[in-house]
Structure formats: C-alpha cells, structure tokens
C-alpha cells in the first residue's frame, strides 16, 4: 500500500516518520527545492550574524534510511478523492491514502501586488530568508510592515545586526488582539528602548522604488518612510483549492473531523492548513503533534482499526529574544475584568492572571516569562477555555 | 553527556555549553535542567526535546 503526503513542514515530516517502516510505502512531496527545515528559525537565518548549521530537520540520507521517498521541487497540482494526484511536471500517481499538510503562505496585500518595487520581501520560506540575508549590509534601513510576533522578531534581530528599523502597524497598539492595552503599551516601550521605531495606527497605501535606488513606503496619515528594503509580515493566508477542487469541504482552511480526516474518507489534513470547527492559531508545535496523530490514523484507516481523537488545545502567543519576552494564552483582559497582577510595583514587568469567577481564564506576560510553565499548566488543566466565550478560538500566533 | 534537539525548532541543547543566557551552567545534563526550563529559541518545554541521533 502507498501513502502520499503533500507538504514537508513539521506536520508532513512527522506523519511520514510515523507511517514509514510499517509495511507501507511513503512518498513525501515538497514544493520547495531544499530539504525540510525548521521554519521558526528563519528570522535567525535572515538576520542572524552567525551561520546557522542546524536549520534542516534531517540529512538527505535519513529519509532513505527511514523508507521515506522524499520528492523535492515536486508541487502537487491536483488531487482526486480516489487518491490519484498530479504533479506540476505532468505525471500522475496513485495512492491508498493521502495527507494534506501544505501549511499557509504570507498574506500579500494589494499595495504589494500593484507595486513594481524589487525591495519587498516576505519572510516565509528558506529562500525568502536567504534573499533578506543578501540585502543586509550595515547602515541600511528597513521597514517592517506588520507588527505581529514575526515582525517584532525580524525588527529586533535586524536592529541587533546594526540595521535601522521601523515597524509600521495598522492597529493603534501592537498585538492588541492578544494583549490588554497596558500590556501592549509596555511592549511598545520595550521595543522603542531597543531602538526599534514604531509607526502605529498607520495603513500602508503604496510602496515604490525611488530613482536613487531606495524604497518609499507611503502611508495614510504620516509622511512616507524611505528605506532600503521592506519586510512583509502581515500574517498567514491559506490556499484551499487543492482540496476544494476535489470536492473536499473547506472553510478558511481544510475542514477536518476529530480524527483529522477530511470530508473525504482516507484523505487527512494536518498542521496549519487543517481546521476543526473554527480556525485555530498556526503553530509549529501543534503542527508536529497533528502530524503524529494523522500518521497513526492513516495506519488505522488502512488496517481498518479505530482512529485516535485529536484534542485541540489553545495555542499561546509566545516569543522571547534575549531579554525581550512576551506570552499570552486564553482570555485577553478588558478594563472591568478580574485581573491579578503578579508583580504589582514593577514598571518593567507585567504579568497577570485573568480570572472568570475562580477559574483561571487567561495568562499574560510582558518583560518576563517567569513561572510561565506553572501558569500554563494551571490554565490548561482548568479547561476554562472550553466554556469561556472568546477563549477557545482565540486567534493566535500568525494573525497577530 | 547527550545532546538534545528541540523537535519544534531544531535548537540543540549541548550540556558542554549549557544555556548561559538563562543561568544554566556549562556541565548541566539535560535531565538536570529545571522543569520550567524552556527552549531558548522557541519557548517549548523539555518534553518537546529528543536525544540527538
Ligand atoms: C518566519 C516564521 C517564524 C515562525 N516562528 C514560529 C515559532 O517560533 N513557533 C511556532 O510554533 N511557530 C512558528 N511559526 C509558524 C510555524 O512555522 C508553522 O505553524 C508551521 O511551520 C506549520 O507547519 P505545517 O507542517 O502545517 O506547514 P509548513 O511548515 O508551512 O509546510 C508546508 C510545506 O508544504 C509545501 N507545499 C505547499 N503546497 C504544496 C503542494 N501543492 N505540493 C507540495 N508541497 C506543497 C510548502 O512549500 C511548505 O514547504 C513561524 C512561521 C514563520 C513563517
Ligand atoms: Zn525550540
């Protein structure tokens, strides 16, 4: 029997590893030319001053040893419900089960589509990171459009590499979907203290290259910003056409049931592209876990055995770079919410537990993630998120 | 002493180096790391690490 896995991020590779060696042939298709890598390390690859030697998940030989037929530069163009797939080179292949683990892609806004600038770079793939790396020579100025976690990480690392950095963000406060206003203000203060300029409450309307080889970012309310290049970090978008065109149910992403099977039996989805009742946040850890479960469930499907249930949990927004630390899970406090500060008089640190009655409904931290494990466990154990409105389907990592 | 790799981001914990930024001295084995130690690159806990092969 043969299983085809489409996409070689954490979800696809984990699924392949579980299925391989169990008497089933596994083929792992990747649209990219390089070996599967750790996407969370891309900001470091793009802006770091050290060479990164461990960004690839495994060496090429590993795949053959495990019995995984890894096909690089092999984008899957169409799939059918009888498990036949077609590749961009025109060939077709037939399988007995499929896993869709194609992840998402960067949101490219209209002002970029209209622009002829050669200096706009998303930060999503290995080759994106290398493009940015080429751009970096000292005394350059960059504009980061989008102040989510990835934008903030890019800005901090760029600043550390002697670039001048400005983050341009549409909302009034950074990360306002995940943090209370006073927490956001502290995040902003800490970024400014680290020489990251912020232009908040500002929508970019155009990006143009100037005759002197620079790039002008035009905004709604402010004078334009001139820089050498632009890093785009506006969150993730999802292309569901592969599934949709095969008649598989989709919403914003590809819909899966509690076993992570799509509406078409024997076709599973895992990772960022999979959606339970409502979209959850993107996360490498979550994707890896889903890939493992899907691997087991593909084997169960092929052997007519009972499948495992995947337990969906809230995904924290969490980021740490040197002494810049932020964390948020569950409910974001509003003004009249019951918020217990853990460091009452410390102006540099904000850590708070948010209660709903006596139940821990959310945890927020800026400036220090001390004791975060303790509170996260308490929060997850309380399972408050199953009952509290706005918590379970909290938007997270990618869309902030 | 064995090195451990973070399954999520590929960071390698090398006991010979420790994690000086987070007050972990060189010579600390992976098992001896405190329970609340997290991956310095991506923030996941010890349970998401595997022995380097
Ligand atoms: C810059 C950056 C930093 C991040 N940092 C963190 C972090 O610190 N912590 C964290 O938890 N998460 C982080 N994330 C998010 C995390 O990387 C994703 O949640 C995770 O990689 C999703 O895994 P996946 O397996 O679902 O898909 P992906 O990792 O997106 O992999 C999908 C793969 O499928 C390929 N593909 C797509 N279509 C096809 C097709 N038709 N045929 C064949 N192949 C196809 C794609 O090219 C891609 O290689 C970060 C993301 C980015 C972009
Ligand atoms: Zn890690």
């Amino acid at each position: 029997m043969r299983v085809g896995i489409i996409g070689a991020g954490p979800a696809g590779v984990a699924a392949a590893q579980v299925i391989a060696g169990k008497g089933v042939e596994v083929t792992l298709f990747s649209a990219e030319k390089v070996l599967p890598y750790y996407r969370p390390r891309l900001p470091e690859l793009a802006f770091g001053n050290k060479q990164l030697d461990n960004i690839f998940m495994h060496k090429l030989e590993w795949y053959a040893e495990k019995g995984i037929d890894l096909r690089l530069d092999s984008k899957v163009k169409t799939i059918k419900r009888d498990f036949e797939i077609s590749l961009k080179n025109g060939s077709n292949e037939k399988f007995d089960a499929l896993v869709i683990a194609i992840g998402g892609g960067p949101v490219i806004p209209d002002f970029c589509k209209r622009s002829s600038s050669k200096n706009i770079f998303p930060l999503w793939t290995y080759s994106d990171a290398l493009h940015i790396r080429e751009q970096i020579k000292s005394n350059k100025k960059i504009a980061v459009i989008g102040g989510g976690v990835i934008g903030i990480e890019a800005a901090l690392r760029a600043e550390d590499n002697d670039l001048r950095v400005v983050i341009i963000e549409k909302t009034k406060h950074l990360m306002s979907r995940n943090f209370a206003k006073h927490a956001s203000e502290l995040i902003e203060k800490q970024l400014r203290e680290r020489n990251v300029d912020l232009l908040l409450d500002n929508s970019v309307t155009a990006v143009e290259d100037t005759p002197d080889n620079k790039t002008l970012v035009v905004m709604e309310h402010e004078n334009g910003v001139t820089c050498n290049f632009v890093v785009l970090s506006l969150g993730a978008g999802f292309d569901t056409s592969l599934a949709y065109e095969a008649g598989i149910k989709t919403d914003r992403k590809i819909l899966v049931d509690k076993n992570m099977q799509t509406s078409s039996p024997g076709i599973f989805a895992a990772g960022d592209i999979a959606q339970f009742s409502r979209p959850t946040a993107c996360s490498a850890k979550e994707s890896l876990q889903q890939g493992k479960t899907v691997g087991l469930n593909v084997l169960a499907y092929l052997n007519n055995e009972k499948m495992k249930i995947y337990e969906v949990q809230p995904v924290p927004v969490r980021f740490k770079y040197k002494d810049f630390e932020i964390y948020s899970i569950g409910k974001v406090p509003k003004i009249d919410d019951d918020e217990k500060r853990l460091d009452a008089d410390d102006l540099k640190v904000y850590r708070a537990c948010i209660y709903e009655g006596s139940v821990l409904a959310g945890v927020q931290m800026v400036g220090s993630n001390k004791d975060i494990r303790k509170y996260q466990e308490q929060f997850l154990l309380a399972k408050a998120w199953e009952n509290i409105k706005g918590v379970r389907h909290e938007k997270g990592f990618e869309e902030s | 002493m064995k090195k451990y790799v973070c399954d999520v981001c590929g960071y390698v914990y090398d006991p010979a180096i420790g994690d000086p930024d987070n007050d972990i001295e060189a010579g600390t084995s992976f098992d001896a790391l405190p329970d609340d130690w997290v991956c310095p690159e991506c923030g996941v806990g010890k349970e998401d690490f595997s022995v380097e092969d």
Side-chain angles (χ1 to χ4, degrees):
Chain A
M1 282 194 280
R2 301 187 70 201
V3 177
I5 299 174
I6 308 164
V13 173
Q17 188 170 357
V18 169
I19 301 167
K22 306 276 179 355
V24 180
E25 272 180 53
V26 180
T27 310
L28 178 58
F29 296 97
S30 171
E32 298 190 56
K33 293 195 169 92
V34 295
L35 285 172
Y37 54 87
Y38 295 107
R39 202 171 296 284
R41 299 297 282 285
L42 292 180
E44 195 181 341
L45 177 66
F47 293 102
N49 31 31
K50 281 192 308 234
Q51 212 63 37
L52 257 188
D53 49 7
N54 54 356
I55 193 162
F56 296 109
M57 294 184 202
H58 304 284
K59 297 199 176 79
L60 180 62
E61 306 85 79
W62 181 89
Y63 296 90
E65 280 162 21
K66 293 279 172 196
I68 299 167
D69 179 9
L70 174 65
R71 310 267 190 90
L72 298 177
D73 197 12
S74 299
K75 183 163 185 168
V76 174
K77 253 178 58 186
T78 63
I79 64 172
K80 290 200 189 125
R81 298 179 74 158
D82 65 356
F83 315 117
E84 184 171 290
I85 69 160
S86 72
L87 295 170
K88 69 163 188 203
N89 67 10
S91 64
N92 286 1
E93 296 195 36
K94 191 93 199 312
F95 294 92
D96 301 288
L98 293 175
V99 176
I100 309 174
I102 57 179
V107 168
I108 310 287
D110 286 340
F111 67 78
C112 287
K113 291 181 190 146
R114 283 195 306 266
S115 170
S116 60
S117 170
K118 291 182 180 62
N119 298 321
I120 306 176
F121 302 93
L123 177 48
W124 200 275
T125 64
Y126 186 83
S127 73
D128 290 341
L130 291 188
H131 281 137
I132 292 174
R133 207 179 164 82
E134 275 166 32
Q135 297 297 313
I136 295 176
K137 301 195 185 88
S138 42
N139 298 322
K140 287 214 171 191
K141 181 167 179 185
I142 75 167
V144 175
I145 303 181
V149 184
I150 295 175
I152 290 175
E153 177 166 9
L156 286 169
R157 287 185 180 276
E159 204 285 326
D160 251 4
N161 218 340
D162 294 329
L163 288 114
R164 277 179 302 145
V165 190
V166 56
I167 296 179
I168 304 168
E169 164 62 45
K170 183 173 71 177
T171 56
K172 265 205 181 93
H173 286 290
L174 282 187
M175 315 269 319
S176 52
R177 260 192 264 183
N178 302 101
F179 288 93
K181 181 162 165 268
H182 42 290
S184 289
E185 283 168 351
L186 186 58
I187 295 175
E188 291 154 17
K189 180 163 169 276
Q190 300 199 343
L191 285 170
R192 289 188 167 118
E193 280 167 5
R194 288 165 178 75
N195 293 322
V196 174
D197 281 339
L198 302 176
L199 287 172
L200 304 175
D201 201 8
N202 254 301
S203 287
V204 174
T205 53
V207 177
E208 300 154 6
D209 288 348
T210 59
D212 59 344
N213 251 331
K214 291 193 171 142
T215 300
L216 177 70
V217 181
V218 184
M219 282 163 293
E220 222 167 27
H221 304 307
E222 203 106 6
N223 289 333
V225 167
T226 306
C227 61
N228 299 98
F229 66 99
V230 171
V231 173
L232 260 195
S233 53
L234 291 167
F238 301 93
D239 181 357
T240 57
S241 57
L242 199 63
Y244 181 81
E245 282 161 16
I248 294 170
K249 280 197 181 129
T250 59
D251 180 40
R252 200 157 97 79
K253 309 183 184 185
I254 300 172
L255 289 167
V256 292
D257 64 13
K258 60 185 190 307
N259 306 123
M260 309 217 64
Q261 191 167 221
T262 67
S263 63
S264 184
I267 302 184
F268 295 77
D272 284 354
I273 195 68
Q275 178 185 327
F276 299 90
S277 54
R278 270 167 276 185
T280 43
C282 290
S283 146
K285 175 176 168 164
E286 201 65 16
S287 298
L288 182 83
Q289 233 94 51
Q290 291 183 4
K292 288 182 186 169
T293 301
V294 158
L296 293 172
N297 285 353
V298 166
L299 291 170
Y301 166 82
L302 292 173
N303 297 319
N304 256 321
E305 286 162 7
K306 195 164 182 283
M307 291 190 228
K308 270 181 67 154
I309 291 176
Y310 189 82
E311 295 262 357
V312 199
Q313 288 200 331
V315 177
V317 169
R318 119 177 87 194
F319 173 66
K320 177 177 186 319
Y321 177 66
K322 297 189 173 168
D323 58 352
F324 180 94
E325 300 180 56
I326 58 176
Y327 179 95
S328 163
I329 195 164
K331 188 167 172 148
V332 178
K334 297 197 194 67
I335 294 169
D336 48 0
D337 274 339
D338 190 3
E339 169 193 294
K340 292 229 162 47
R341 297 282 292 264
L342 300 170
D343 323 81
D345 302 321
D346 193 335
L347 294 178
K348 289 205 164 90
V349 178
Y350 163 86
R351 295 188 308 151
C353 287
I354 296 91
Y355 289 91
E356 194 134 299
S358 60
V359 188
L360 184 58
V363 184
Q364 304 231 307
M365 299 198 176
V366 178
S368 161
N369 288 355
K370 190 165 167 283
D371 293 333
I372 190 55
R373 302 273 299 165
K374 186 171 102 193
Y375 291 107
Q376 175 168 307
E377 256 154 54
Q378 224 176 306
F379 168 83
L380 291 174
L381 277 177
K383 290 222 171 189
W385 40 277
E386 290 193 331
N387 303 317
I388 293 173
K389 217 174 127 223
V391 171
R392 176 154 191 173
H393 305 290
E394 196 59 54
K395 296 215 177 83
F397 187 76
E398 87 292 7
E399 289 148 294
S400 39
Chain B
M1 278 188 285
K2 281 185 188 132
K3 293 183 189 174
Y4 279 73
V5 190
C6 173
D7 295 336
V8 174
C9 77
Y11 164 84
V12 179
Y13 178 76
D14 181 351
I17 299 169
D19 179 12
D21 288 346
N22 296 294
D23 302 325
I24 304 294
E25 283 175 34
T28 310
S29 73
F30 185 78
D31 288 335
L33 288 170
D35 285 342
D36 62 356
W37 180 82
V38 295
C39 172
E41 291 297 337
C42 76
V44 299
K46 284 173 76 176
E47 67 280 6
D48 288 308
F49 278 72
S50 317
V51 181
E52 188 176 54
D53 56 19

